[in-house]
Amino acid sequence: GSKPEENTDDLKAEIEKKKEKRGGKPLGEEGVQNEFNLAVDRKCTDVFFLAFFIIFWIGMLVVGIVAFMRGEPARLGSGYDFLGEVCGYNRNADRARVFYPYPFPDGEAPSATAAAEPDLSWAVCVKACPATPEISVENPFPNMCAMSFKSLDENGDPKVCGGKADGSTDMAQFHPNPIEQKNEYEKLCMTRMPKCSPCETELCCTGSNQIDEETIAVNATKFPEVEAWGIKIGHKYGFCFIPYPSAEAFAGRCMPWVDPGLSPADVAASYNSSGVSSGAMESGLAAVADAMTGPQETFNYLVNEVNDHKWIIVSAAGIALIIALIYTTLLRFAAWPLTLVVLVGLWVLLLAASIILAAKAGFISADQLPLSAGSIELPAGVTWGPAETNQELVLGAAVLIGAVFIVYTVLLFVLIPRVRMAIKVIGIATQCLTNCPTFLIFPIFQWIFTVILFVWWIAVMIYLTATGEWNEESRTYEWDDMTRRAAIFHFLGLLWGRAFILAVGNLIIAGATADWFLIPDKKDLGLPLISSAKRSCAKHLGTAAFGSFIIAVVQFIRWVFRYYMYQLKKMNPENRLVKLLSCVGECCLSCLERFLDFINKNAYIQTAIMGTSFCKSAANAIALLIRNCLRIGTLTIIASGFIMIGKYMIAVLTAFLCALLIAGGELGNVTEAPVFSVTLIALLAFCVASAFMDVWEMVIDTIFQCYCMDLELGTNKAPGNVTKLVEDNPPDEKDLKAVGSNL
């Protein structure tokens, strides 16, 4: 019976030695009447970083102004042709679709096995995506021109290329014989381009500025005629070409498509009199589709997607605000029931997701489902049967969610006693928030600044993405090195700005909580939040800038690491070493960020109390926590875990409601909501949730840090319930082992 006690005593003795070595001496001095009050005569701290932060944001404003002056967002959503003109605007006002006659590098034909890197520079604006053609005497073969122009035949007679409303050419003007018509079209239209004023080349053509009826020959040496699946498409950057069948897919882009009512052989025969195999036609169309979903189009598509849903994304901040207010209010008045509902509700959601995904992955059938789940009526388009598409994704999701459900279930039963302890800790914070109700209003101001930051960042990013100089050689708008650096700088500004908003909030909450802790009669408290805000903004913005910069840099490194890991995985999708490196690197950087965030928050508490600089505050806070790790370590960690659950709950619920809005309020269509927009909404909601839930976390951390300082100084200012909570919950043997290993 005494062995566990001996082990506990040994562990305590070992920890005491480590504390004495690494934690330094306690704050109080023997034989002296120590005082514990908020510092009065404060100096401005970390002024250099405040100046750096101001200069940085002047740079952010400059980037924004330049982006708004140079950017053309319509180019992202609508696309542009090979002359740099936006589809659906100006001379292309009646041509709002984008068609790519040949999206491959010169000399590389598409194949079913290996599609070349996409080259989307040869783009034309069309009224409608070229469909499977209806062959007739008037239209013996498919044809299309980017714009109408005149070309002189051998007799000097003008022929109109692309004169019809749909961009096609009247073949009857060339010759009665269909074969001769095709030859004349190729000679007069596919190998010629209009000569326009004032540039006297094709580069400034608008469709109405051709110099008389003059044309220039396509540079066949530089741009030889290209073929796809046996069909002569035309010369790259030529005004006229042979279009393949397509249909509008996303953002007005025309994607390869074959009418399901026709066989590929029929389509191929209509395109090429010599005939081409149906297999070649199908593989060629598939290769074109692969090319048109490359990184360039994907990036533009994502930015355009954000632009389409920008108001829902902005409204997500308001939805998250309402949910956070409701959650924190309930937490204040009914912490135990609310925590129980959240924990059990999360368990039910994980169980339901595991069952549905297991059925979709084929692990179980509908008749094997528990109770009568298989008979539950699901939304339209959703069935209990195995998934017909994205089977690998569904399988991976089923395994992942199932594993999370099992781990969560085990933890839920093991940690029930800890849940009660966490509720008691939250109860201490609730007492502070009851005396200072303005604490729960303060995050609204953080929310306002967060929304302003995100709106500014998204707007500038859209315009910045739409900048670039027109390159006549590559026929694309290209970013120069300065624009790339500006985009990186702008992204770092988002990370630093968000971290700074949270840091200032932490300083203000910590100062106000310390005020509440130190005043004997809570009725004399006044408005501690306003007093703390004045102190923090007048003296300690530099400290907030310092700490938030550290967090922003680490987060930036994580995103850079993720980008390069993504590129490596694309090149080596099955390489286990790459997967291991990605997992280990992400884990290490995540731990580093959490560790630095822990140091930052405790440093802010010391700055709010003592008025010291960031580095000195961090050193003092860590030493204080080491000396008192046995008293408060377990309590703060447990409470932080449940606060984190609240953050995720607010983010997930907000994302779901916004996905429902995007889906038009139809629950059955929620799964069709765009993933990128919903992910961005979840991130924004998490930022809002962090602003609210950080209030509870900072209140708890500040109370316990004040308690430790009060204990070491011997001033006896700690409220009685705080002292009782610490004394009634000493660390057990497992906690001692964990603390000892961390020290």
Side-chain angles (χ1 to χ4, degrees), residues 33-35 58 159 165 170 225 279 288 484 498 505 594 694:
Q33 183 64 38
N34 298 299
E35 292 291 334
I58 291 174
K159 305 298 181 183
D170 179 12
E225 191 171 39
V288 174
R484 292 189 184 91
R498 175 183 172 272
R594 287 199 296 269
D694 276 355

Side-chain angles (χ1 to χ4, degrees), residues 357 389-398:
L357 287 171
T389 58
N390 298 323
Q391 289 92 344
E392 292 183 1
L393 181 62
V394 173
L395 180 64

Side-chain angles (χ1 to χ4, degrees), residues 56-77:
F56 185 94
W57 270 91
I58 291 174
M60 287 284 287
L61 290 174
V62 171
V63 169
I65 292 170
V66 172
F68 289 136
M69 291 174 61
R70 297 176 56 191
E72 192 176 2
R75 216 165 57 213
L76 297 178

Side-chain angles (χ1 to χ4, degrees), residues 484-564:
R484 292 189 184 91
R485 294 191 190 103
I488 294 172
F489 180 84
H490 187 58
F491 180 64
L492 179 60
L494 173 67
L495 299 178
W496 194 2
R498 175 183 172 272
F500 180 78
I501 292 170
L502 293 177
V504 173
N506 288 337
L507 274 168
I508 294 173
I509 293 297
T513 304
D515 252 342
W516 171 85
F517 184 94
L518 293 172
I519 193 165
D521 189 352
K522 308 307 179 189
K523 295 179 181 178
D524 300 332
L525 197 57
L527 296 172
L529 199 66
I530 294 177
S531 302
S532 180
K534 289 179 179 178
R535 289 194 303 268
S536 300
C537 294
K539 302 293 184 180
H540 305 310
L541 287 181
T543 298
F546 192 173
S548 58
F549 178 73
I550 294 172
I551 296 298
V553 169
V554 174
Q555 289 176 340
F556 181 78
I557 293 172
R558 285 185 71 182
W559 281 106
V560 172
F561 176 79
R562 288 166 182 164
Y563 170 78
Y564 282 109

Side-chain angles (χ1 to χ4, degrees), residues 526-685:
L527 296 172
L529 199 66
I530 294 177
S531 302
S532 180
K534 289 179 179 178
R535 289 194 303 268
S536 300
C537 294
K539 302 293 184 180
H540 305 310
L541 287 181
T543 298
F546 192 173
S548 58
F549 178 73
I550 294 172
I551 296 298
V553 169
V554 174
Q555 289 176 340
F556 181 78
I557 293 172
R558 285 185 71 182
W559 281 106
V560 172
F561 176 79
R562 288 166 182 164
Y563 170 78
Y564 282 109
M565 285 298 101
Y566 170 74
Q567 297 298 328
L568 283 175
K569 286 179 180 178
K570 279 182 62 179
M571 293 186 291
N572 307 279
E574 303 301 325
N575 192 310
R576 293 184 179 180
L577 182 61
V578 172
K579 293 180 180 179
L580 178 64
L581 179 62
S582 175
C583 182
V584 172
E586 180 66 25
C587 180
C588 292
L589 289 171
S590 176
C591 290
L592 176 62
E593 182 182 343
R594 287 199 296 269
F595 172 70
L596 292 174
D597 188 55
F598 170 79
I599 290 178
N600 278 13
K601 286 185 176 179
N602 286 284
Y604 297 148
I605 294 171
Q606 280 292 308
T607 298
I609 297 172
M610 306 305 297
T612 48
S613 64
F614 178 82
C615 292
K616 187 175 182 179
S617 295
N620 291 342
I622 296 302
L624 179 68
L625 294 175
I626 289 174
R627 292 194 301 269
N628 294 273
C629 57
L630 292 180
R631 295 189 179 98
I632 65 169
T634 306
L635 296 175
T636 55
I637 291 171
I638 292 172
S640 297
F642 286 96
I643 288 169
M644 182 58 69
I645 290 175
K647 293 180 183 180
Y648 283 118
M649 193 226 32
I650 293 169
V652 170
L653 187 55
T654 302
F656 172 77
L657 292 176
C658 289
L660 192 61
L661 286 175
I662 293 174
E666 295 291 335
L667 186 61
N669 297 330
V670 168
T671 54
E672 298 178 7
V675 175
F676 183 73
S677 294
V678 174
T679 302
L680 197 61
I681 287 167
L683 289 174
L684 176 58

Side-chain angles (χ1 to χ4, degrees), residues 261-342:
L262 296 174
S263 70
D266 293 334
V267 178
S270 71
Y271 269 67
N272 194 317
S273 58
S274 62
V276 62
S277 69
S278 60
M281 186 73 181
E282 284 185 307
S283 63
L285 294 177
V288 174
D290 286 342
M292 289 176 61
T293 54
Q296 178 182 342
E297 278 298 295
T298 300
F299 181 72
N300 288 345
Y301 170 67
L302 292 178
V303 174
N304 184 59
E305 179 188 304
V306 172
N307 193 34
D308 288 343
H309 302 120
K310 56 180 177 290
W311 298 119
I312 293 180
I313 293 173
V314 171
S315 68
I319 295 172
L321 172 66
I322 295 170
I323 296 172
L325 280 171
I326 294 172
Y327 183 82
T328 50
T329 302
L330 290 174
L331 193 62
R332 176 183 168 191
F333 293 108
W336 171 245
L338 179 62
T339 304
L340 193 63
V341 168
V342 169

